[in-house]
Amino acid sequence: MASRAREWVIASIVIALAAAAAALVFVYSQRARRDRDAMLYIPKSSPITPSTLLLERYIRINTVNPPGNEIEGARFLAAQLAEAGVKAEIIESAPGRANLYARIKGKHPGGALMLLNHIDVVPPVGKWDRPPFSGSVMINMVYGRGSADMKGVAICELQAFRDVAKSGRVPEHDLVFLAVADEERASVLGTQWLLDHRPDVFEGVRYAINEGGITEM
């Protein structure tokens, strides 16, 4: 009888431990799914890279729309392109409302790829764990308005464009870098204005990479 009772106790402990483990897995998976859907999910720690440092600097440039004032952001991007030997054009659709355009010519006309992003960001709302324009890093996250929408993507596109320029290799087709103003306010002074007044910016473009869906950085 004592042996059987001991077996029941051991079995009960094993069952309890298994149930606790299953509960922990469920709680973790629910939290991971929630964070992923909130665009906060980062699977592992990441080192501070030159791209991260560029993103910090870019976030610290206040381009909240309204009023926009994308000119400082455009100048920042132009300076990064200049370091790679690329001359970019800052196109103002209104005083202080700036778009930035650069193109690497390819071997063949047409079929160009545009790396498209926007400089302006929406106003910071709600409670922030860190100042919204600090660009500060805590563990493996960069804090700042625009880090996800869409200055993080812009830095990725900038680095890709710079890598092509620095390689010295001529691409098969043109590669276009375009950072626009006013995306958060219907693009009247951004993409729409460029289509109406500077159609040459889009000449030969067949493909574009822009924001959309859930983007993990």
Side-chain angles (χ1 to χ4, degrees):
M1 293 293 292
S3 176
R4 183 170 296 179
R6 188 163 49 250
E7 290 175 357
W8 276 107
V9 169
I10 293 173
S12 299
I13 293 173
V14 170
I15 292 171
L17 289 174
L24 286 174
V25 170
F26 176 77
V27 169
Y28 176 80
S29 63
Q30 289 295 102
R31 179 175 179 179
R33 185 176 297 108
R34 181 199 65 199
D35 290 348
R36 181 201 64 203
D37 293 343
M39 296 187 291
L40 297 175
Y41 176 69
I42 300 177
K44 60 182 179 180
S45 298
S46 300
I48 300 297
T49 64
S51 296
T52 304
L53 297 176
L54 275 179
L55 177 57
E56 288 180 349
R57 292 170 59 191
Y58 195 20
I59 288 171
R60 290 169 186 157
I61 302 172
N62 187 335
T63 55
V64 165
N65 186 13
N69 195 33
E70 298 91 352
I71 186 69
E72 292 304 321
R75 288 170 179 160
F76 168 80
L77 295 173
Q80 306 313 311
L81 291 172
E83 290 182 2
V86 177
K87 182 175 177 56
E89 180 184 2
I90 294 177
I91 306 170
E92 287 190 77
S93 51
R97 307 306 303 274
N99 306 273
L100 179 125
Y101 164 61
R103 182 182 291 254
I104 297 173
K105 295 294 293 183
K107 298 176 184 177
H108 310 291
L113 170 64
M114 174 176 282
L115 304 178
L116 177 61
N117 57 86
H118 61 86
I119 303 172
D120 62 322
V121 300
V122 295
V125 295
K127 182 179 179 181
W128 286 71
D129 294 334
R130 295 288 186 276
F133 299 104
S134 65
S136 60
V137 176
M138 181 178 179
I139 307 177
N140 59 346
M141 297 183 69
V142 178
Y143 285 79
R145 170 54 80 209
S147 55
D149 183 13
M150 68 174 295
K151 289 183 175 180
V153 177
I155 293 299
C156 293
E157 294 182 345
L158 173 73
Q159 293 292 66
F161 191 89
R162 282 165 34 122
D163 286 347
V164 173
K166 289 179 178 179
S167 73
R169 298 192 302 270
V170 179
E172 292 299 312
H173 302 274
D174 290 5
L175 182 64
V176 178
F177 182 88
L178 181 62
V180 298
D182 204 34
E183 190 274 346
E184 301 292 359
R185 304 281 286 189
S187 298
V188 173
L189 297 174
T191 303
Q192 186 59 57
W193 189 93
L194 291 169
L195 286 167
D196 293 339
H197 298 86
R198 288 293 303 273
D200 58 295
V201 167
F202 305 93
E203 182 179 355
V205 172
R206 184 173 183 179
Y207 308 99
I209 297 177
N210 194 16
E211 65 182 331
I214 294 177
T215 304
E216 295 181 5
M217 261 90 50

